[in-house]
């Protein structure tokens, strides 16, 4: 290589580095509101996934500059207390706790979070009461809620929540009926100027993060992308199911009886997704025969998914357990450390932003 050619390559590298640096500067600017709200470097929240989003993954995400969120799920107040304590021992960074509003001991769970001075609490699984929101805010916690529609987003804003997550049907687990892109177009222009709004559902690459930030999002939330983090305690078979899967393999459960208002669940198709239909028929027959009251019937349906999820995540039974996954599962290609996943995401976002600047 001639001196001239070598110099040209060096000049090109310097230019590329400068462009990437400019992209990161732009990304930091767009993330400022979200990162300041979450008190972390990158406004990238980890989705709260039952059995997966526990102390190891949550602390790894926070230590990598993101924002981990513990999934309380069906935990008792004592178990949540132990999990928060253990997480604090693994990270000095901020992290949040996700509480399910229909939990029978929600008030005690809130007390646990406040006693630990948890900085952010995410209320999910239904519209929270004003009492729950007020109690958390008076206790010093920032309250984040899910808004599956603009009208509900406005209602939550009036109720005093500090931030919203809008999650599209591409996500894994319990989902709503509207896509991420439609929700973003509907809600961001109306509410992003009033409070931080984080976008979730189907996000697995930095280019998508950059696009939502430019639309006005304060940040994003990802779940499926982090399941195969090295620090995730999910069973190796569970992780391999993710790595092998394509987007079309993540399907939604079907409701067969209007008396059972089943919230659709997105998971990888297997025997459990097929058996769920049979379970609904069984519960519907028990209703018909007067053997079950409607609330008990609905609880049985909810318990079906809770038990089968643990079977898949912890025990590795990916055929008879529920392998909850979002459609972004097709972009999960390998197991890698959480810090590498987050670094790749922010680099991709920065490059995308830099390219737009050049156009």
């Amino acid at each position: 290589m001639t001196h001239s050619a070598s110099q040209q390559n060096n000049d090109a590298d310097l230019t590329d580095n400068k462009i990437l640096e400019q992209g990161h500067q732009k990304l930091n600017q767009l993330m400022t509101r979200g990162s300041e709200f979450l008190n972390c470097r990158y406004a990238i929240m980890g989705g709260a996934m039952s059995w997966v989003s526990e102390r190891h993954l949550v602390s790894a995400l926070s230590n990598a500059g993101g924002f981990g969120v513990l999934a309380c799920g069906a935990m008792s107040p004592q178990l949540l207390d132990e999990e928060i304590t253990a997480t604090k021992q693994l990270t000095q960074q901020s992290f949040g706790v996700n509480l399910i509003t229909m939990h029978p001991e929600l008030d005690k769970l809130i007390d646990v979070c406040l006693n630990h001075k948890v900085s952010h609490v995410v209320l999910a699984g239904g519209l929270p009461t004003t009492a729950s929101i007020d109690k958390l805010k008076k206790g010093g916690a920032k309250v984040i809620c899910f808004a599956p529609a603009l009208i509900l987003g406005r209602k939550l804003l009036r109720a005093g929540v500090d931030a919203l997550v809008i999650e599209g049907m591409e996500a894994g687990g319990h989902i709503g009926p509207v896509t991420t892109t439609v929700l973003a177009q509907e809600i961001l222009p109306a509410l992003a100027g009033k409070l931080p709004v984080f976008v979730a559902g189907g996000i697995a690459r930095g280019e998508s993060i950059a696009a939502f930030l430019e639309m006005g999002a304060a940040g994003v939330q990802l779940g499926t992308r982090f399941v195969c983090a090295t620090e995730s305690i999910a069973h190796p078979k569970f992780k391999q199911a993710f790595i092998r899967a394509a987007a079309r393999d993540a399907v939604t459960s079907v409701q067969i009886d209007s008396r059972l208002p089943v919230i659709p669940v997105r998971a990888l198709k297997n025997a459990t997704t097929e058996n769920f239909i049979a379970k609904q028929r069984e519960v519907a027959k028990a209703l018909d025969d007067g053997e079950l009251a409607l609330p008990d019937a609905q609880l049985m349906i909810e318990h079906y998914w809770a038990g089968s999820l643990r079977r898949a995540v912890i025990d590795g039974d990916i055929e008879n357990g529920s392998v909850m996954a979002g459609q972004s599962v097709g972009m999960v290609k390998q197991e890698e450390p959480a810090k590498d996943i987050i670094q790749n995401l922010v680099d991709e976002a920065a490059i995308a932003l830099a390219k737009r600047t050049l156009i």
Side-chain angles (χ1 to χ4, degrees), residues 5-48:
S6 177
Q7 184 62 44
Q8 287 177 353
N9 285 338
N10 288 336
D11 290 344
D13 289 340
L14 287 171
T15 301
D16 289 343
N17 289 335
K18 187 171 181 60
I19 290 171
L20 183 58
E21 183 181 343
Q22 291 174 345
H24 275 285
Q25 289 175 353
K26 179 64 173 175
L27 178 63
N28 290 336
Q29 290 171 5
L30 291 172
M31 278 191 172
T32 296
R33 187 184 190 193
S35 57
E36 288 182 351
F37 172 77
L38 296 172
N39 190 28
C40 61
R41 184 176 180 186
Y42 304 117
I44 299 176
M45 297 173 61

Side-chain angles (χ1 to χ4, degrees), residues 73-152:
M75 284 185 196
S76 66
Q78 180 183 347
L79 281 177
L80 179 61
D81 180 73
E82 293 170 2
E83 196 63 32
I84 294 173
T85 299
T87 306
K88 283 182 172 180
Q89 293 171 351
L90 296 173
T91 183
Q92 301 300 310
Q93 307 304 316
S94 298
F95 64 90
V97 175
N98 180 294
L99 302 179
I100 304 301
T101 58
M102 66 180 71
H103 196 294
E105 296 185 282
L106 176 62
D107 204 51
K108 292 181 181 179
L109 295 172
I110 290 175
D111 287 336
V112 171
C113 291
L114 295 179
N115 289 340
H116 277 283
K117 299 190 185 305
V118 171
S119 60
H120 299 70
V121 173
V122 183
L123 296 176
L127 202 62
T129 63
T130 303
S132 295
I133 296 171
D134 289 346
K135 182 174 182 176
L136 284 165
K137 288 173 69 70
K138 288 176 181 176
K142 294 187 185 300
V143 181
I144 306 171
C145 293
F146 285 82
L150 178 57
I151 189 171
L152 292 177

